[in-house]
Amino acid sequence: MTYTPQTVNAPSGFAVPEDVLAWVAEVAELAQPDAIHWCDGSIDERERLYAQMVEAGTFTKLNQDLRPGSYLARSAPSDVARVESRTYICSVKEEDAGPTNNWADPTEMRATLKKVFAGSMRGRTMYIIPFSMGPFGGNISRLGIEISDSPYVVVSMRIMTRMGNQALQAICDGKDWVPAVHSVGYPLVDADGNKRDDLVWPCNDEKYITHFPETREIWSFGSGYGGNALLGKKCYALRIASVIARDEGWLAEHMLVLRITGPDGRSFCLTAAFPSACGKTNLAMLRPTIPGWKVETVGDDIAWMRPGPDGRLYAINPEAGFFGVAPGTSEKTNPTCLHALDHDTIFTNVALTDDGDVWWEGLTDEPPAHLIDWTGQDWTPDADRPAAHPNSRFTVPAAQAESIAPNWEDPAGLPVDVILFGGRRATNVPLISESYSWEHGVFVGATVSSEQTAAAEGSVGSLRRDPFAMLPFCGYNMADYWSHWLEMGQTLGDKAPRIFQVNWFRKDADGKFIWPGFGDNSRPIVWALQRIAGTAKAVDAISGRIPAPGELDVDGLDISDEALTELFSLPPDAWAAEADLTEEYFAQFGDKTPAELYDQLKQLRQRIADAKAKA
Ligand code: OXD
Ligand code: MN
């Protein structure tokens, strides 16, 4: 098949710009699809694709009385998570990717991509998916077009972004857009015209998730799953957007956004960075246990933040849906989220019950007596494997959460009062600690570490540095990113949000969590807000300012004084050991590590020495 800008089936009624048509034609010429479909984002289109995927066996329609509008997909067992080892930043200079990213030479990677994409869509439809990251209007949201050969990607992008005609119209009106090309890499016809049957979850063992920061392009091959394939999310909204944000003076962050209102009616906007699968969705939908406080959700994963006309930092959620980890979501841990999943949800890799509903570990105390597990096999509670994959997911429109903030789609965003950095740490890091300054906050963000989770491949439980929770998501040199944060502090001056570090995951000597978490996480957060309001006291400590005795509201909480002390214990020797590791860590970045961070390290060592002297 030969494709030209005139034969790419562009929709009538749109003056599609020449550069868009030329790009679509070029990708079609390369990938050789049988047909091209421009997605309009309509319900009709969605229903057609759902029916087509049910017919193909990719989707199982769930019991429509129990889960109306909802479907289950099972991926290939080799395609269940983001593949960081196959994720590349293809900047012209290697040092611009930095030591924490996989770098590939852009010319070489283009040659590789040309090879793997050649004919990769034979026998398939190529979907053109125009989308907006963020609500239409304002100066924070941005546009993109994903080309994909996966109908699963189309229907997921319809939930996760504002997808379809309105985005295409904005592109026709001349707004900037980011090109993103995706193929599952399983053509149905080979170069000689031989056909093969499709798979329920087509993918390829060879995977490339590639980003070209200078030309702001994304090319992804071989996976149909999550952040590898829904290119608006990690690839655009974090890796490419972090580069755009550096160049334009704003921030693209792996942060939830929420609004929290106290009994006196004063509202605060909070953003929070946590490594993947550390409970961001739970925090975004928190039900505070302190009476009179209310949380409203703006976003659960990504924040784009830009200084507004008044000099404050304004945040939007660039996404329109939640792609959350299902296991562990329950009536106890996150009832708001669970209720959002009552209808119109795509589940991937969870278990199927005998009555056509879904189940995952943690949903109920007792598992059902029989299930079909995420691999499609019979499962009973005595099986020695989980029924749902640990990284199984739900894809659900954000508006379905009853906690959604009424102004969550305000394109101007919400002015941010407080930024939290969190990790999953069994030791050392206290429940909450306030940074001494913006620079100290950047140091805290830069040195955050966490025990590894299942959201990416790798060994679960080992400790890894995850600066700003951006380790796998920063599209440029991490040390340059720290410099950018320091510069943002200069720009924002005294209008900058205050920065706190939190750790819900501290364990006692028996390995049990000390802090109850969930709704009670509102307690340290309320202390932070009271610090901002000037009504709570703190004492200086090694990690930062921690609540003065009696200042953390633990009313009604069954927690002993010893446990509380343990939550804030900061053993100087352990902190000294961490400081040494931090120095080694910074050394990896050579002279790119900003001097301000070495200065913060010096101040930390001084505080450790003072604490030792006092002891
Ligand atoms: C996610 C992740 O899917 O961080 O949000 O891995
Ligand atoms: Mn995430």
Side-chain angles (χ1 to χ4, degrees):
M1 206 98 126
T2 300
Y3 288 102
T4 68
Q6 289 72 42
T7 62
V8 290
N9 198 25
S12 59
F14 290 87
V16 181
E18 282 304 320
D19 61 335
V20 175
L21 295 174
W23 171 68
V24 171
E26 195 185 314
V27 177
E29 269 293 280
L30 177 63
Q32 287 292 303
D34 271 10
I36 300 180
H37 173 80
W38 293 66
C39 300
D40 60 16
S42 65
I43 290 182
D44 271 6
E45 176 182 82
R46 179 190 75 185
E47 292 305 310
R48 254 183 287 122
L49 290 173
Y50 281 174
Q52 180 188 314
M53 280 189 282
V54 169
E55 168 87 22
T58 304
F59 267 9
T60 300
K61 193 170 193 167
L62 295 171
N63 181 326
Q64 296 298 294
D65 293 328
L66 301 175
R67 240 7 114 164
S70 300
Y71 295 81
L72 167 65
R74 293 190 194 107
S75 79
S78 61
D79 195 23
V80 292
R82 288 183 292 97
V83 279
E84 290 175 13
S85 58
R86 306 297 300 168
T87 299
Y88 297 92
I89 302 298
C90 308
S91 46
V92 173
K93 289 201 235 142
E94 183 169 1
E95 65 167 357
D96 288 337
T100 56
N101 280 314
N102 299 316
W103 176 78
D105 175 85
T107 310
E108 279 170 26
M109 183 54 86
R110 278 186 201 285
T112 304
L113 291 170
K114 232 185 180 146
K115 252 190 247 149
V116 295
F117 271 91
S120 74
M121 298 186 188
R122 279 202 190 95
R124 296 192 182 279
T125 297
M126 177 168 119
Y127 298 96
I128 314 299
I129 313 167
F131 62 94
S132 174
M133 297 312 293
F136 292 99
N139 73 344
I140 314 183
S141 303
R142 303 186 72 96
L143 298 156
I145 304 179
E146 176 164 351
I147 291 181
S148 175
D149 55 5
S150 161
Y152 172 87
V153 165
V154 175
V155 294
S156 301
M157 285 290 284
R158 187 180 184 280
I159 294 177
M160 295 305 297
T161 72
R162 283 114 180 135
M163 183 274 260
N165 281 349
Q166 202 177 348
L168 181 60
Q169 187 54 54
I171 290 167
C172 294
D173 292 343
K175 294 232 162 62
D176 266 2
W177 56 281
V178 163
V181 186
H182 168 252
S183 173
V184 294
Y186 195 86
L188 299 175
V189 183
D190 71 15
D192 300 323
N194 303 310
K195 294 195 175 149
R196 63 174 166 181
D197 288 341
D198 204 355
L199 301 176
V200 163
W201 187 275
C203 60
N204 194 306
D205 285 344
E206 197 178 350
K207 295 181 174 39
Y208 294 95
I209 321 297
T210 69
H211 309 75
F212 295 81
E214 280 91 2
T215 49
R216 298 175 180 178
E217 280 168 83
I218 302 158
W219 288 77
S220 169
F221 179 86
S223 167
Y225 201 84
N228 300 331
L230 314 179
L231 303 184
K233 194 174 179 63
K234 306 300 190 181
C235 298
Y236 183 173
L238 291 175
R239 298 194 191 97
I240 292 295
S242 62
V243 173
I244 301 175
R246 174 201 59 193
D247 294 348
E248 295 182 354
W250 51 280
L251 296 166
E253 300 301 326
H254 192 205
M255 290 180 177
L256 65 89
V257 185
L258 61 79
R259 196 166 87 132
I260 175 162
T261 307
D264 61 0
R266 178 167 173 189
S267 290
F268 300 83
C269 173
L270 175 150
T271 68
F274 289 84
S276 303
C278 278
K280 266 163 70 199
T281 305
N282 291 345
L283 181 54
M285 299 176 191
L286 182 96
R287 293 190 180 178
T289 49
I290 308 188
W293 288 84
K294 177 170 114 183
V295 163
E296 289 164 316
T297 312
V298 177
D300 79 329
D301 195 37
I302 299 176
W304 283 0
M305 302 185 282
R306 194 168 193 142
D310 60 358
R312 297 186 69 192
L313 189 63
Y314 282 75
I316 64 159
N317 169 15
E319 300 190 279
F322 306 125
F323 179 67
V325 176
T329 307
S330 73
E331 195 63 56
K332 267 189 241 151
T333 60
N334 192 342
T336 305
C337 183
L338 195 64
H339 301 165
L341 309 180
D342 280 351
H343 61 99
D344 296 293
T345 301
I346 299 171
F347 296 93
T348 307
N349 288 343
V350 302
L352 179 68
T353 65
D354 290 348
D355 56 0
D357 201 0
V358 288
W359 191 85
W360 48 79
E361 276 67 22
L363 177 62
T364 52
D365 290 339
E366 289 298 316
H370 176 261
L371 292 165
I372 302 295
D373 73 9
W374 71 275
T375 67
Q377 311 296 309
D378 285 309
W379 185 96
T380 51
D382 56 7
D384 56 4
R385 59 182 200 279
H389 187 278
N391 192 38
S392 54
R393 299 279 181 149
F394 49 79
T395 312
V396 65
Q400 284 183 204
E402 64 213 13
S403 62
I404 200 76
N407 56 346
W408 80 284
E409 294 198 279
D410 183 345
L414 281 71
V416 182
D417 299 285
V418 48
I419 295 174
L420 302 186
F421 291 120
R424 184 181 276 273
R425 290 297 308 269
T427 59
N428 282 11
V429 180
L431 179 65
I432 188 159
S433 166
E434 178 185 349
S435 298
Y436 287 112
S437 62
W438 181 268
E439 288 74 17
H440 181 222
V442 174
F443 174 82
V444 167
T447 54
V448 157
S449 56
S450 195
E451 284 129 29
Q452 171 106 36
T453 65
E457 26 64 295
S459 88
V460 174
S462 60
L463 201 68
R464 74 167 183 177
R465 295 270 172 182
D466 194 350
F468 287 74
M470 283 288 277
L471 183 71
F473 304 125
C474 185
Y476 60 105
N477 189 306
M478 184 59 79
D480 290 337
Y481 165 90
W482 298 334
S483 295
H484 176 53
W485 262 81
L486 290 164
E487 273 164 35
M488 288 297 295
Q490 300 278 318
T491 307
L492 294 164
D494 62 2
K495 304 237 169 75
R498 297 260 284 272
I499 301 177
F500 293 74
Q501 180 172 29
V502 294
N503 178 25
W504 322 135
F505 301 99
R506 193 120 176 198
K507 289 185 176 165
D508 63 17
D510 299 331
K512 290 215 190 76
F513 288 116
I514 306 176
W515 183 248
F518 302 107
D520 288 315
N521 292 339
S522 58
R523 297 172 185 272
I525 289 174
V526 164
W527 175 77
L529 304 180
Q530 288 167 342
R531 288 290 300 157
I532 290 168
T535 58
K537 294 196 190 66
V539 291
D540 289 0
I542 292 176
S543 60
R545 299 193 177 104
I546 59 174
E551 291 290 292
L552 182 73
D553 184 341
V554 287
D555 255 15
L557 195 64
D558 183 18
I559 188 163
S560 68
D561 288 348
E562 296 73 49
L564 263 181
T565 306
E566 181 63 25
L567 276 173
F568 289 97
S569 82
L570 303 162
D573 287 336
W575 274 81
E578 286 215 12
D580 292 346
L581 290 175
T582 297
E583 183 160 0
E584 275 171 34
Y585 181 64
F586 283 169
Q588 276 190 70
F589 301 91
D591 54 13
K592 278 196 179 274
T593 304
E596 289 89 333
L597 296 191
Y598 280 116
D599 189 45
Q600 285 298 325
L601 180 60
K602 203 164 131 201
Q603 293 183 36
L604 172 65
R605 284 191 160 129
Q606 187 57 53
R607 292 195 296 273
I608 296 169
D610 293 349
K612 275 192 187 170
K614 253 199 229 156

